[in-house]
CSV table of all heavy atoms in Angstrom, one decimal:
chain,number,residue,atom,x,y,z
A,5,MET,N,15.7,-7.6,-3.3
A,5,MET,CA,16.9,-8.0,-3.8
A,5,MET,C,18.0,-7.9,-2.8
A,5,MET,O,17.9,-7.0,-1.9
A,5,MET,CB,17.3,-7.0,-5.0
A,5,MET,CG,18.5,-7.3,-5.8
A,5,MET,SD,18.6,-6.4,-7.2
A,5,MET,CE,20.3,-6.3,-7.5
A,6,TRP,N,19.0,-8.7,-2.9
A,6,TRP,CA,20.0,-8.8,-1.8
A,6,TRP,C,21.3,-9.1,-2.5
A,6,TRP,O,21.4,-9.9,-3.4
A,6,TRP,CB,19.6,-10.0,-0.8
A,6,TRP,CG,20.6,-10.4,0.2
A,6,TRP,CD1,20.7,-9.8,1.4
A,6,TRP,CD2,21.6,-11.4,0.0
A,6,TRP,NE1,21.8,-10.5,2.1
A,6,TRP,CE2,22.3,-11.4,1.3
A,6,TRP,CE3,22.0,-12.3,-1.1
A,6,TRP,CZ2,23.4,-12.4,1.5
A,6,TRP,CZ3,23.0,-13.1,-0.8
A,6,TRP,CH2,23.7,-13.2,0.5
A,7,VAL,N,22.4,-8.4,-2.0
A,7,VAL,CA,23.7,-8.5,-2.6
A,7,VAL,C,24.7,-9.0,-1.5
A,7,VAL,O,24.7,-8.5,-0.5
A,7,VAL,CB,24.2,-7.2,-3.2
A,7,VAL,CG1,25.6,-7.4,-3.9
A,7,VAL,CG2,23.2,-6.7,-4.2
A,8,ALA,N,25.4,-10.1,-1.8
A,8,ALA,CA,26.3,-10.5,-0.8
A,8,ALA,C,27.4,-9.6,-0.5
A,8,ALA,O,27.9,-8.9,-1.3
A,8,ALA,CB,27.0,-11.9,-1.3
A,9,ALA,N,27.8,-9.6,0.8
A,9,ALA,CA,28.8,-8.6,1.3
A,9,ALA,C,30.2,-9.2,1.0
A,9,ALA,O,31.2,-8.5,0.9
A,9,ALA,CB,28.6,-8.3,2.7
A,10,THR,N,30.3,-10.5,1.0
A,10,THR,CA,31.6,-11.2,0.8
A,10,THR,C,31.5,-12.1,-0.4
A,10,THR,O,30.4,-12.6,-0.7
A,10,THR,CB,31.9,-12.0,2.1
A,10,THR,OG1,30.8,-12.9,2.3
A,10,THR,CG2,32.1,-11.1,3.3
A,11,PRO,N,32.6,-12.3,-1.0
A,11,PRO,CA,32.6,-13.3,-2.2
A,11,PRO,C,32.4,-14.7,-1.8
A,11,PRO,O,32.6,-15.2,-0.7
A,11,PRO,CB,34.0,-13.1,-2.7
A,11,PRO,CG,34.9,-12.6,-1.6
A,11,PRO,CD,34.0,-11.8,-0.7
A,12,HIS,N,31.8,-15.4,-2.7
A,12,HIS,CA,31.5,-16.8,-2.5
A,12,HIS,C,32.7,-17.6,-2.3
A,12,HIS,O,33.7,-17.5,-3.0
A,12,HIS,CB,30.7,-17.4,-3.7
A,12,HIS,CG,30.5,-18.9,-3.7
A,12,HIS,ND1,29.5,-19.4,-2.9
A,12,HIS,CD2,31.1,-19.9,-4.3
A,12,HIS,CE1,29.5,-20.8,-3.1
A,12,HIS,NE2,30.6,-21.1,-3.9
A,13,PHE,N,32.6,-18.5,-1.3
A,13,PHE,CA,33.7,-19.5,-1.1
A,13,PHE,C,33.1,-20.8,-0.5
A,13,PHE,O,32.5,-20.7,0.6
A,13,PHE,CB,34.8,-18.9,-0.2
A,13,PHE,CG,35.9,-19.9,0.2
A,13,PHE,CD1,36.9,-20.3,-0.8
A,13,PHE,CD2,35.8,-20.6,1.4
A,13,PHE,CE1,37.8,-21.3,-0.5
A,13,PHE,CE2,36.8,-21.6,1.7
A,13,PHE,CZ,37.8,-21.9,0.7
A,14,CYS,N,33.3,-21.9,-1.2
A,14,CYS,CA,32.8,-23.1,-0.6
A,14,CYS,C,33.8,-24.2,-0.5
A,14,CYS,O,33.6,-25.2,0.1
A,14,CYS,CB,31.6,-23.6,-1.5
A,14,CYS,SG,32.1,-24.1,-3.1
A,15,GLY,N,35.0,-23.9,-1.0
A,15,GLY,CA,36.1,-24.8,-0.9
A,15,GLY,C,36.1,-26.0,-1.9
A,15,GLY,O,37.0,-26.8,-1.9
A,16,GLU,N,35.1,-26.0,-2.8
A,16,GLU,CA,35.1,-27.1,-3.8
A,16,GLU,C,36.0,-26.8,-4.9
A,16,GLU,O,36.1,-25.7,-5.4
A,16,GLU,CB,33.6,-27.3,-4.3
A,16,GLU,CG,32.7,-27.9,-3.3
A,16,GLU,CD,31.3,-28.1,-3.8
A,16,GLU,OE1,31.2,-28.4,-5.1
A,16,GLU,OE2,30.4,-28.0,-3.1
A,17,GLU,N,36.8,-27.8,-5.3
A,17,GLU,CA,37.8,-27.6,-6.3
A,17,GLU,C,37.3,-27.2,-7.6
A,17,GLU,O,37.9,-26.4,-8.3
A,17,GLU,CB,38.6,-28.9,-6.4
A,17,GLU,CG,39.7,-29.1,-5.4
A,17,GLU,CD,40.5,-30.4,-5.6
A,17,GLU,OE1,40.6,-30.9,-6.7
A,17,GLU,OE2,40.8,-31.0,-4.5
A,18,ASP,N,36.2,-27.7,-8.0
A,18,ASP,CA,35.6,-27.4,-9.3
A,18,ASP,C,34.6,-26.3,-9.3
A,18,ASP,O,33.8,-26.1,-10.3
A,18,ASP,CB,35.1,-28.7,-10.0
A,18,ASP,CG,34.0,-29.3,-9.2
A,18,ASP,OD1,33.8,-28.8,-8.1
A,18,ASP,OD2,33.3,-30.2,-9.6
A,19,CYS,N,34.6,-25.5,-8.2
A,19,CYS,CA,33.6,-24.5,-8.2
A,19,CYS,C,33.9,-23.4,-9.1
A,19,CYS,O,35.0,-22.9,-9.3
A,19,CYS,CB,33.6,-23.8,-6.7
A,19,CYS,SG,32.4,-22.6,-6.5
A,20,THR,N,32.8,-22.9,-9.9
A,20,THR,CA,33.0,-21.8,-10.9
A,20,THR,C,32.6,-20.5,-10.4
A,20,THR,O,32.7,-19.6,-11.0
A,20,THR,CB,32.3,-22.2,-12.2
A,20,THR,OG1,30.9,-22.4,-11.8
A,20,THR,CG2,32.8,-23.5,-12.8
A,21,ARG,N,32.2,-20.5,-9.1
A,21,ARG,CA,31.6,-19.2,-8.6
A,21,ARG,C,32.6,-18.7,-7.5
A,21,ARG,O,32.3,-17.6,-6.9
A,21,ARG,CB,30.3,-19.5,-7.8
A,21,ARG,CG,29.3,-20.2,-8.7
A,21,ARG,CD,29.0,-19.4,-9.8
A,21,ARG,NE,27.9,-20.0,-10.6
A,21,ARG,CZ,27.5,-19.6,-11.8
A,21,ARG,NH1,28.2,-18.8,-12.5
A,21,ARG,NH2,26.5,-20.2,-12.4
A,22,GLU,N,33.8,-19.2,-7.4
A,22,GLU,CA,34.7,-18.8,-6.4
A,22,GLU,C,35.1,-17.3,-6.7
A,22,GLU,O,35.4,-16.9,-7.8
A,22,GLU,CB,36.1,-19.6,-6.6
A,22,GLU,CG,36.9,-19.6,-5.3
A,22,GLU,CD,36.4,-20.7,-4.3
A,22,GLU,OE1,36.1,-21.8,-4.7
A,22,GLU,OE2,36.4,-20.3,-3.2
A,23,GLY,N,35.0,-16.5,-5.7
A,23,GLY,CA,35.3,-15.1,-5.8
A,23,GLY,C,34.2,-14.2,-6.3
A,23,GLY,O,34.4,-13.0,-6.4
A,24,TYR,N,33.1,-14.8,-6.8
A,24,TYR,CA,32.0,-14.1,-7.2
A,24,TYR,C,31.0,-13.7,-6.1
A,24,TYR,O,31.0,-14.5,-5.1
A,24,TYR,CB,31.2,-14.8,-8.4
A,24,TYR,CG,31.9,-14.7,-9.7
A,24,TYR,CD1,33.1,-15.4,-10.0
A,24,TYR,CD2,31.5,-13.8,-10.7
A,24,TYR,CE1,33.8,-15.3,-11.2
A,24,TYR,CE2,32.2,-13.6,-11.9
A,24,TYR,CZ,33.3,-14.4,-12.1
A,24,TYR,OH,33.9,-14.2,-13.3
A,25,TYR,N,30.2,-12.7,-6.3
A,25,TYR,CA,29.2,-12.3,-5.3
A,25,TYR,C,27.8,-12.7,-5.7
A,25,TYR,O,27.5,-12.5,-6.8
A,25,TYR,CB,29.3,-10.8,-5.2
A,25,TYR,CG,30.6,-10.3,-4.6
A,25,TYR,CD1,31.7,-10.1,-5.4
A,25,TYR,CD2,30.7,-10.0,-3.3
A,25,TYR,CE1,32.9,-9.7,-4.9
A,25,TYR,CE2,31.9,-9.5,-2.7
A,25,TYR,CZ,33.0,-9.4,-3.6
A,25,TYR,OH,34.2,-8.9,-3.0
A,26,GLU,N,27.2,-13.4,-4.7
A,26,GLU,CA,25.8,-13.9,-5.0
A,26,GLU,C,24.8,-12.6,-5.0
A,26,GLU,O,24.9,-11.8,-4.1
A,26,GLU,CB,25.4,-14.9,-4.0
A,26,GLU,CG,24.0,-15.5,-4.4
A,26,GLU,CD,23.6,-16.6,-3.4
A,26,GLU,OE1,24.3,-16.8,-2.5
A,26,GLU,OE2,22.6,-17.3,-3.7
A,27,VAL,N,23.9,-12.6,-6.0
A,27,VAL,CA,22.9,-11.6,-6.0
A,27,VAL,C,21.6,-12.3,-6.0
A,27,VAL,O,21.3,-13.0,-7.0
A,27,VAL,CB,23.0,-10.7,-7.2
A,27,VAL,CG1,21.9,-9.6,-7.2
A,27,VAL,CG2,24.4,-9.9,-7.2
A,28,ARG,N,20.8,-12.2,-5.0
A,28,ARG,CA,19.5,-12.9,-4.9
A,28,ARG,C,18.4,-12.0,-5.4
A,28,ARG,O,18.3,-10.9,-4.9
A,28,ARG,CB,19.3,-13.3,-3.5
A,28,ARG,CG,19.2,-14.9,-3.4
A,28,ARG,CD,19.1,-15.4,-2.1
A,28,ARG,NE,20.3,-16.0,-1.5
A,28,ARG,CZ,20.6,-16.3,-0.2
A,28,ARG,NH1,19.7,-16.0,0.6
A,28,ARG,NH2,21.7,-16.8,0.1
A,29,LEU,N,17.7,-12.4,-6.4
A,29,LEU,CA,16.6,-11.7,-7.0
A,29,LEU,C,15.3,-12.0,-6.3
A,29,LEU,O,15.2,-12.9,-5.5
A,29,LEU,CB,16.5,-12.0,-8.5
A,29,LEU,CG,17.8,-11.9,-9.2
A,29,LEU,CD1,17.5,-12.2,-10.7
A,29,LEU,CD2,18.3,-10.4,-9.2
A,30,GLU,N,14.3,-11.1,-6.5
A,30,GLU,CA,13.0,-11.2,-5.8
A,30,GLU,C,12.3,-12.6,-6.1
A,30,GLU,O,11.5,-13.1,-5.3
A,30,GLU,CB,12.2,-10.1,-6.1
A,30,GLU,CG,12.6,-8.8,-5.4
A,30,GLU,CD,11.9,-7.5,-5.9
A,30,GLU,OE1,10.8,-7.7,-6.5
A,30,GLU,OE2,12.4,-6.5,-5.7
A,31,GLN,N,12.5,-13.1,-7.3
A,31,GLN,CA,11.8,-14.4,-7.6
A,31,GLN,C,12.5,-15.7,-7.0
A,31,GLN,O,12.2,-16.7,-7.2
A,31,GLN,CB,11.9,-14.6,-9.1
A,31,GLN,CG,11.1,-13.5,-9.9
A,31,GLN,CD,11.9,-12.3,-10.1
A,31,GLN,OE1,13.1,-12.2,-9.8
A,31,GLN,NE2,11.3,-11.3,-10.7
A,32,GLY,N,13.5,-15.4,-6.1
A,32,GLY,CA,14.2,-16.4,-5.5
A,32,GLY,C,15.3,-17.0,-6.3
A,32,GLY,O,16.0,-18.0,-5.9
A,33,GLU,N,15.6,-16.4,-7.4
A,33,GLU,CA,16.7,-16.8,-8.3
A,33,GLU,C,18.0,-16.1,-7.8
A,33,GLU,O,17.9,-15.0,-7.2
A,33,GLU,CB,16.5,-16.3,-9.8
A,33,GLU,CG,15.3,-17.0,-10.4
A,33,GLU,CD,15.0,-16.3,-11.8
A,33,GLU,OE1,15.9,-16.5,-12.6
A,33,GLU,OE2,14.1,-15.7,-11.9
A,34,SER,N,19.1,-16.7,-8.2
A,34,SER,CA,20.4,-16.1,-7.9
A,34,SER,C,21.2,-15.9,-9.1
A,34,SER,O,21.1,-16.7,-10.0
A,34,SER,CB,21.2,-17.0,-6.9
A,34,SER,OG,20.6,-17.0,-5.6
A,35,VAL,N,21.8,-14.8,-9.2
A,35,VAL,CA,22.8,-14.5,-10.2
A,35,VAL,C,24.1,-14.3,-9.6
A,35,VAL,O,24.2,-14.0,-8.3
A,35,VAL,CB,22.4,-13.4,-11.2
A,35,VAL,CG1,21.2,-13.8,-11.9
A,35,VAL,CG2,22.2,-12.1,-10.4
A,36,TRP,N,25.2,-14.2,-10.3
A,36,TRP,CA,26.5,-14.0,-9.8
A,36,TRP,C,27.2,-12.8,-10.5
A,36,TRP,O,27.2,-12.7,-11.7
A,36,TRP,CB,27.4,-15.3,-10.0
A,36,TRP,CG,26.8,-16.4,-9.3
A,36,TRP,CD1,25.8,-17.3,-9.8
A,36,TRP,CD2,27.0,-16.9,-8.0
A,36,TRP,NE1,25.5,-18.2,-8.8
A,36,TRP,CE2,26.3,-18.0,-7.7
A,36,TRP,CE3,28.0,-16.4,-7.0
A,36,TRP,CZ2,26.2,-18.6,-6.5
A,36,TRP,CZ3,28.0,-17.1,-5.8
A,36,TRP,CH2,27.1,-18.2,-5.5
A,37,ALA,N,27.8,-12.0,-9.6
A,37,ALA,CA,28.4,-10.8,-10.2
A,37,ALA,C,29.9,-10.7,-9.7
A,37,ALA,O,30.2,-11.2,-8.6
A,37,ALA,CB,27.7,-9.5,-9.6
A,38,ASN,N,30.7,-10.1,-10.6
A,38,ASN,CA,32.1,-9.9,-10.1
A,38,ASN,C,32.1,-8.6,-9.3
A,38,ASN,O,31.1,-8.0,-9.1
A,38,ASN,CB,33.1,-9.9,-11.3
A,38,ASN,CG,32.7,-8.7,-12.3
A,38,ASN,OD1,32.3,-7.6,-11.8
A,38,ASN,ND2,33.1,-8.8,-13.5
A,39,LEU,N,33.3,-8.3,-8.8
A,39,LEU,CA,33.4,-7.2,-7.8
A,39,LEU,C,32.9,-5.9,-8.4
A,39,LEU,O,32.2,-5.1,-7.7
A,39,LEU,CB,34.9,-7.0,-7.4
A,39,LEU,CG,35.1,-5.9,-6.3
A,39,LEU,CD1,34.3,-6.1,-5.0
A,39,LEU,CD2,36.6,-5.9,-6.0
A,40,THR,N,33.2,-5.6,-9.7
A,40,THR,CA,32.9,-4.3,-10.3
A,40,THR,C,31.4,-4.4,-10.4
A,40,THR,O,30.7,-3.2,-10.0
A,40,THR,CB,33.5,-4.3,-11.7
A,40,THR,OG1,34.9,-4.4,-11.6
A,40,THR,CG2,33.2,-2.9,-12.3
A,41,GLU,N,30.7,-5.4,-10.9
A,41,GLU,CA,29.3,-5.4,-11.0
A,41,GLU,C,28.6,-5.3,-9.6
A,41,GLU,O,27.5,-4.7,-9.5
A,41,GLU,CB,28.9,-6.8,-11.7
A,41,GLU,CG,29.3,-6.8,-13.2
A,41,GLU,CD,29.2,-8.3,-13.7
A,41,GLU,OE1,29.3,-9.3,-12.8
A,41,GLU,OE2,29.2,-8.4,-14.9
A,42,ARG,N,29.2,-6.0,-8.6
A,42,ARG,CA,28.5,-5.8,-7.3
A,42,ARG,C,28.5,-4.4,-6.8
A,42,ARG,O,27.6,-3.9,-6.2
A,42,ARG,CB,29.3,-6.8,-6.3
A,42,ARG,CG,28.6,-7.0,-5.0
A,42,ARG,CD,29.5,-7.2,-3.9
A,42,ARG,NE,30.4,-6.1,-3.6
A,42,ARG,CZ,30.8,-5.8,-2.5
A,42,ARG,NH1,30.5,-6.5,-1.4
A,42,ARG,NH2,31.6,-4.7,-2.2
A,43,ASP,N,29.7,-3.7,-7.1
A,43,ASP,CA,29.7,-2.3,-6.6
A,43,ASP,C,28.7,-1.5,-7.3
A,43,ASP,O,28.1,-0.6,-6.6
A,43,ASP,CB,31.1,-1.7,-6.8
A,43,ASP,CG,32.1,-2.2,-5.8
A,43,ASP,OD1,31.7,-2.8,-4.8
A,43,ASP,OD2,33.4,-2.1,-6.1
A,44,GLU,N,28.5,-1.7,-8.5
A,44,GLU,CA,27.5,-1.0,-9.4
A,44,GLU,C,26.1,-1.2,-8.7
A,44,GLU,O,25.4,-0.3,-8.6
A,44,GLU,CB,27.5,-1.5,-10.8
A,44,GLU,CG,28.2,-0.5,-11.7
A,44,GLU,CD,28.2,-1.1,-13.1
A,44,GLU,OE1,27.2,-1.7,-13.6
A,44,GLU,OE2,29.3,-1.1,-13.7
A,45,LEU,N,25.8,-2.5,-8.5
A,45,LEU,CA,24.5,-2.9,-7.9
A,45,LEU,C,24.3,-2.1,-6.6
A,45,LEU,O,23.3,-1.6,-6.3
A,45,LEU,CB,24.4,-4.3,-7.7
A,45,LEU,CG,24.1,-5.1,-9.0
A,45,LEU,CD1,24.3,-6.6,-8.8
A,45,LEU,CD2,22.7,-4.8,-9.5
A,46,ASN,N,25.4,-2.1,-5.7
A,46,ASN,CA,25.2,-1.6,-4.4
A,46,ASN,C,25.0,0.0,-4.5
A,46,ASN,O,24.2,0.5,-3.8
A,46,ASN,CB,26.5,-1.8,-3.6
A,46,ASN,CG,26.4,-3.1,-2.8
A,46,ASN,OD1,25.3,-3.5,-2.5
A,46,ASN,ND2,27.5,-3.7,-2.5
A,47,ASN,N,25.6,0.6,-5.5
A,47,ASN,CA,25.5,2.0,-5.7
A,47,ASN,C,24.0,2.3,-6.1
A,47,ASN,O,23.4,3.2,-5.6
A,47,ASN,CB,26.4,2.5,-6.8
A,47,ASN,CG,27.8,2.7,-6.3
A,47,ASN,OD1,28.1,2.7,-5.1
A,47,ASN,ND2,28.7,2.7,-7.2
A,48,ARG,N,23.4,1.4,-7.0
A,48,ARG,CA,22.1,1.6,-7.4
A,48,ARG,C,21.1,1.4,-6.3
A,48,ARG,O,20.1,2.1,-6.1
A,48,ARG,CB,21.7,0.6,-8.5
A,48,ARG,CG,22.3,1.0,-9.9
A,48,ARG,CD,21.5,0.4,-11.0
A,48,ARG,NE,22.3,-0.1,-12.0
A,48,ARG,CZ,21.8,-0.8,-13.0
A,48,ARG,NH1,20.6,-1.1,-13.1
A,48,ARG,NH2,22.6,-1.1,-14.0
A,49,LEU,N,21.4,0.4,-5.5
A,49,LEU,CA,20.5,0.1,-4.3
A,49,LEU,C,20.5,1.3,-3.3
A,49,LEU,O,19.5,1.7,-2.9
A,49,LEU,CB,20.9,-1.2,-3.6
A,49,LEU,CG,20.6,-2.5,-4.3
A,49,LEU,CD1,21.2,-3.6,-3.6
A,49,LEU,CD2,19.1,-2.7,-4.5
A,50,GLU,N,21.7,1.8,-3.1
A,50,GLU,CA,21.8,2.9,-2.2
A,50,GLU,C,21.0,4.1,-2.7
A,50,GLU,O,20.3,4.8,-2.0
A,50,GLU,CB,23.2,3.4,-2.0
A,50,GLU,CG,23.9,2.6,-0.9
A,50,GLU,CD,25.4,2.9,-0.8
A,50,GLU,OE1,25.8,4.0,-1.1
A,50,GLU,OE2,26.2,2.0,-0.4
A,51,THR,N,21.1,4.3,-4.1
A,51,THR,CA,20.3,5.4,-4.6
A,51,THR,C,18.9,5.3,-4.5
A,51,THR,O,18.2,6.2,-4.1
A,51,THR,CB,20.8,5.5,-6.1
A,51,THR,OG1,22.1,5.7,-6.2
A,51,THR,CG2,20.1,6.8,-6.8
A,52,TRP,N,18.4,4.1,-4.7
A,52,TRP,CA,17.0,3.8,-4.6
A,52,TRP,C,16.5,4.0,-3.2
A,52,TRP,O,15.5,4.6,-2.9
A,52,TRP,CB,16.6,2.3,-5.0
A,52,TRP,CG,16.9,2.1,-6.4
A,52,TRP,CD1,17.0,3.0,-7.4
A,52,TRP,CD2,16.9,0.8,-7.1
A,52,TRP,NE1,17.2,2.4,-8.7
A,52,TRP,CE2,17.1,1.1,-8.5
A,52,TRP,CE3,16.7,-0.5,-6.7
A,52,TRP,CZ2,17.1,0.1,-9.4
A,52,TRP,CZ3,16.7,-1.5,-7.7
A,52,TRP,CH2,17.0,-1.2,-9.1
A,53,GLN,N,17.3,3.5,-2.3
A,53,GLN,CA,16.9,3.6,-0.9
A,53,GLN,C,17.0,5.0,-0.4
A,53,GLN,O,16.4,5.4,0.6
A,53,GLN,CB,17.8,2.6,0.0
A,53,GLN,CG,17.3,1.2,-0.2
A,53,GLN,CD,18.4,0.2,0.2
A,53,GLN,OE1,19.5,0.6,0.9
A,53,GLN,NE2,18.2,-1.0,0.0
A,54,GLY,N,17.7,5.9,-1.0
A,54,GLY,CA,17.8,7.3,-0.8
A,54,GLY,C,16.6,8.0,-1.1
A,54,GLY,O,16.5,9.2,-0.9
A,55,GLY,N,15.7,7.3,-1.8
A,55,GLY,CA,14.4,8.0,-2.1
A,55,GLY,C,14.4,8.7,-3.4
A,55,GLY,O,13.4,9.4,-3.7
A,56,LEU,N,15.4,8.6,-4.2
A,56,LEU,CA,15.5,9.3,-5.4
A,56,LEU,C,14.8,8.6,-6.5
A,56,LEU,O,14.5,9.1,-7.6
A,56,LEU,CB,16.9,9.6,-5.9
A,56,LEU,CG,17.6,10.5,-4.9
A,56,LEU,CD1,19.1,10.6,-5.3
A,56,LEU,CD2,17.1,11.9,-5.1
A,57,GLY,N,14.4,7.3,-6.3
A,57,GLY,CA,13.7,6.5,-7.3
A,57,GLY,C,14.7,5.9,-8.2
A,57,GLY,O,15.8,6.4,-8.4
A,58,PRO,N,14.2,4.9,-9.0
A,58,PRO,CA,15.1,4.2,-9.9
A,58,PRO,C,15.4,5.1,-11.1
A,58,PRO,O,14.6,6.0,-11.4
A,58,PRO,CB,14.3,3.0,-10.4
A,58,PRO,CG,13.0,3.3,-10.1
A,58,PRO,CD,13.0,4.3,-8.9
A,59,PRO,N,16.5,4.9,-11.9
A,59,PRO,CA,16.7,5.6,-13.1
A,59,PRO,C,15.6,5.4,-14.1
A,59,PRO,O,15.0,4.4,-14.1
A,59,PRO,CB,18.0,5.1,-13.6
A,59,PRO,CG,18.6,4.3,-12.5
A,59,PRO,CD,17.5,3.9,-11.6
A,60,ASP,N,15.5,6.4,-15.0
A,60,ASP,CA,14.5,6.2,-16.0
A,60,ASP,C,15.0,5.3,-17.0
A,60,ASP,O,15.8,5.6,-17.8
A,60,ASP,CB,14.2,7.6,-16.6
A,60,ASP,CG,13.0,7.6,-17.6
A,60,ASP,OD1,12.7,6.5,-18.1
A,60,ASP,OD2,12.5,8.6,-18.0
A,61,GLU,N,14.4,4.0,-17.0
A,61,GLU,CA,14.9,3.0,-17.9
A,61,GLU,C,14.7,3.2,-19.3
A,61,GLU,O,15.5,2.9,-20.1
A,61,GLU,CB,14.2,1.7,-17.5
A,61,GLU,CG,14.4,1.2,-16.0
A,61,GLU,CD,15.7,0.5,-15.8
A,61,GLU,OE1,16.4,0.2,-16.7
A,61,GLU,OE2,16.0,0.3,-14.6
A,62,GLU,N,13.6,3.9,-19.7
A,62,GLU,CA,13.2,4.0,-21.1
A,62,GLU,C,14.2,5.0,-21.8
A,62,GLU,O,14.6,4.8,-22.9
A,62,GLU,CB,11.8,4.5,-21.2
A,62,GLU,CG,10.8,3.3,-21.0
A,62,GLU,CD,9.4,3.7,-21.2
A,62,GLU,OE1,9.2,4.7,-21.9
A,62,GLU,OE2,8.6,3.0,-20.7
A,63,SER,N,14.5,6.1,-21.2
A,63,SER,CA,15.3,7.0,-21.8
A,63,SER,C,16.8,6.8,-21.6
A,63,SER,O,17.7,7.3,-22.2
A,63,SER,CB,15.0,8.5,-21.3
A,63,SER,OG,15.4,8.6,-20.0
A,64,GLY,N,17.1,5.9,-20.5
A,64,GLY,CA,18.5,5.6,-20.2
A,64,GLY,C,19.1,6.7,-19.4
A,64,GLY,O,20.3,6.7,-19.2
A,65,GLU,N,18.3,7.7,-19.1
A,65,GLU,CA,18.9,8.8,-18.3
A,65,GLU,C,18.4,8.8,-16.8
A,65,GLU,O,17.3,8.3,-16.5
A,65,GLU,CB,18.4,10.2,-18.9
A,65,GLU,CG,19.0,10.4,-20.2
A,65,GLU,CD,18.3,11.7,-20.9
A,65,GLU,OE1,17.6,12.3,-20.2
A,65,GLU,OE2,18.6,11.9,-22.1
A,66,ASN,N,19.3,9.4,-16.0
A,66,ASN,CA,18.9,9.4,-14.6
A,66,ASN,C,17.8,10.5,-14.4
A,66,ASN,O,17.8,11.5,-15.1
A,66,ASN,CB,20.1,9.7,-13.7
A,66,ASN,CG,21.0,8.4,-13.7
A,66,ASN,OD1,20.6,7.4,-14.0
A,66,ASN,ND2,22.3,8.7,-13.4
A,67,LEU,N,17.1,10.4,-13.3
A,67,LEU,CA,16.0,11.4,-13.2
A,67,LEU,C,16.5,12.6,-12.5
A,67,LEU,O,15.8,13.7,-12.5
A,67,LEU,CB,14.9,10.8,-12.4
A,67,LEU,CG,14.1,9.6,-13.0
A,67,LEU,CD1,13.2,9.0,-12.0
A,67,LEU,CD2,13.3,10.2,-14.2
A,68,TRP,N,17.6,12.6,-11.9
A,68,TRP,CA,18.1,13.7,-11.1
A,68,TRP,C,19.2,14.5,-11.9
A,68,TRP,O,19.8,13.9,-12.8
A,68,TRP,CB,18.7,13.4,-9.8
A,68,TRP,CG,19.7,12.3,-9.8
A,68,TRP,CD1,21.0,12.4,-9.8
A,68,TRP,CD2,19.5,10.8,-9.8
A,68,TRP,NE1,21.7,11.2,-9.8
A,68,TRP,CE2,20.7,10.2,-9.8
A,68,TRP,CE3,18.3,10.1,-9.7
A,68,TRP,CZ2,20.9,8.9,-9.8
A,68,TRP,CZ3,18.5,8.6,-9.7
A,68,TRP,CH2,19.7,8.1,-9.7
H,1,ZN,ZN1,31.2,-22.9,-4.6
């Protein structure tokens, strides 16, 4: 997974992604996140890379 560091800008007048951040998923798909969502994703990625493991999805609680 990869999160853009800068907002999308292509200069097209009818672009609906202007100012949004591209998030590339493992399947090669892309989704678009606003700044708040992007920060959330980055926080999660940092946590994962810190070796703490992903949050416990089933209980909705963090493991630490
Ligand atoms: Zn565009």
Side-chain angles (χ1 to χ4, degrees):
M5 187 168 152
W6 171 90
V7 183
T10 54
H12 171 79
F13 174 78
C14 66
E16 285 181 35
E17 277 178 34
D18 58 351
C19 181
T20 57
R21 307 301 187 195
E22 202 83 45
Y24 280 77
Y25 294 79
E26 186 176 7
V27 180
R28 247 176 249 165
L29 307 176
E30 282 170 23
Q31 297 83 7
E33 295 171 69
S34 288
V35 295
W36 297 89
N38 63 29
L39 182 59
T40 308
E41 292 164 338
R42 191 206 66 148
D43 283 347
E44 255 177 45
L45 283 167
N46 272 336
N47 285 341
R48 283 205 218 175
L49 286 174
E50 272 175 33
T51 303
W52 291 349
Q53 284 161 7
L56 293 172
D60 187 343
E61 302 276 352
E62 285 186 18
S63 69
E65 291 173 5
N66 292 337
L67 292 171
W68 55 91

